[in-house]
Amino acid sequence: MTELPDRRLLLVHAHPDDESINNGATMARYAAEGVHVTLVTCTLGERGEVIPPELGHLNGAALGGHRLGELTDAMRALGITDFRLLGGAGRYCDSGMMGLADNDDPGCFWQADVDQAAGLLAEVVREVRPQVLVTYDDNGGYGHPDHIQAHRVAMRAADLAASSGWEIPKVYWNRVPRSVAEASFKRLHDDLPGLPFAAAATVDDVPGVVPDERITTAIDGTTHAAAKAAAMRAHATQITVAEPYFVLSNELAQPLFTTEYYELVRGERSETRESDLFAGITVGDAS
Ligand SMILES: [Zn+2]
């Protein structure tokens, strides 16, 4: 097996596009620094709503295949070569929004056996031996079944790997500090008349917003803002970008954050807010 770089980062996401929206600047920064960045996406987002009318006919497996192509383009924009679908493409399908009959599809990720799915992810953990894991909080950031399940599977996989060969030193959840979200939406309301979007979302539409004091880490991705925007644009079925804003299929404008925020939930906390996910990790010792 080829030797991996000293620093290794693993991100676990529910659908293609979540990685670019939440962590695009972080992924581009660490890839540029020579960190081995691994993305595991749990479904192909087969039940996502399609924005471009000319692609509106895509659904199910055809949409999943198309979104895999978008993910591939997004990873090229971020400089990421190691991206995988949990258990292989098509192993788990999108569960749709909470409360829909889609949630009962036996092949969907919401119906997956958590231990079995976590076992598949633990194999990746033992292979890559990341010092840092990034995923969502226990509400999946905003309550989507696949995001909640991605959280459960990621946290369980960390436990399984810890008892079978590799303990991940630091685990983070994606966050946005409330003060940053509120200031960004204030700016958005001022800018809205000049934007190609008719209406704005609200702070409550942003996943992972928490009081500022819960934020342990801020990754300034300003120098990678263009790569993040390019990665988000690659997900054209899901996202329309007009920097520094974007819309999802609900067509409600929201801020595109180029500083990305995290809450450390496992691992040693610093006295002050970290500016590096690998802070405190002694590279070399941990490999
Ligand atoms: Zn998602």
Side-chain angles (χ1 to χ4, degrees):
M1 199 179 90
T2 42
E3 201 55 33
L4 292 174
D6 283 344
R7 292 187 296 162
R8 298 173 299 274
L9 166 63
L10 172 65
L11 303 103
V12 178
H13 276 291
H15 311 112
D17 82 352
D18 294 315
E19 78 300 324
S20 297
I21 297 169
N22 285 279
N23 312 109
T26 301
M27 293 170 76
R29 170 187 152 172
Y30 284 112
E33 287 183 11
V35 171
H36 187 84
V37 180
T38 303
L39 169 68
V40 175
T41 305
C42 298
T43 80
L44 283 172
E46 295 91 340
R47 290 188 164 105
E49 302 226 4
V50 175
I51 296 176
E54 65 275 19
L55 297 174
H57 61 281
L58 291 174
N59 58 41
L63 178 57
H66 187 87
R67 293 193 66 182
L68 182 56
E70 292 181 339
L71 180 64
T72 304
D73 291 343
M75 293 304 95
R76 194 175 301 121
L78 298 178
I80 308 299
T81 54
D82 184 6
F83 59 99
R84 315 166 183 212
L85 272 295
L86 184 64
R91 172 68 183 259
Y92 299 109
C93 77
D94 191 329
S95 311
M97 290 293 184
M98 189 63 93
L100 300 181
D102 294 336
N103 303 166
D104 300 327
D105 177 345
C108 82
F109 191 46
W110 186 238
Q111 294 295 332
D113 179 86
V114 172
D115 282 326
Q116 194 175 63
L120 294 169
L121 184 59
E123 282 176 31
V124 179
V125 174
R126 285 190 295 266
E127 176 198 330
V128 176
R129 294 171 291 127
Q131 290 100 346
V132 177
L133 168 67
V134 171
T135 190
Y136 316 108
D137 67 20
D138 52 5
N139 187 39
Y142 73 110
H144 190 296
D146 291 327
H147 287 240
I148 294 171
Q149 191 78 318
H151 159 88
R152 292 175 179 165
V153 168
M155 300 305 284
R156 187 75 61 88
D159 290 339
L160 290 175
S163 59
S164 62
W166 183 259
E167 180 156 13
I168 304 170
K170 300 181 89 175
V171 179
Y172 292 94
W173 292 344
N174 293 305
R175 290 300 190 200
V176 177
R178 181 160 291 278
S179 69
V180 170
E182 285 173 352
S184 304
F185 273 95
K186 192 167 179 298
R187 207 173 311 124
L188 166 56
H189 280 281
D190 293 342
D191 291 348
L192 195 59
L195 297 178
F197 310 129
T202 68
V203 170
D204 293 337
D205 294 315
V206 177
V209 173
V210 288
D212 291 23
E213 55 269 25
R214 288 185 59 179
I215 306 296
T216 58
T217 313
I219 301 300
D220 181 354
T222 314
T223 56
H224 300 285
K228 174 168 182 167
M232 288 175 64
R233 278 196 179 90
H235 292 288
T237 58
Q238 306 299 309
I239 305 174
T240 307
V241 178
E243 288 171 80
Y245 304 106
F246 72 99
V247 296
L248 301 171
S249 62
N250 62 14
E251 296 182 27
L252 299 175
Q254 50 180 307
L256 192 167
F257 297 109
T258 52
T259 295
E260 294 166 345
Y261 299 89
Y262 301 91
E263 179 178 6
L264 181 71
V265 294
R266 289 189 189 175
E268 194 112 351
R269 289 211 175 199
S270 311
E271 301 266 302
T272 54
R273 195 181 271 189
E274 300 171 336
S275 57
D276 177 7
L277 296 172
F278 291 87
I281 298 287
T282 309
V283 170
D285 290 3
S287 63

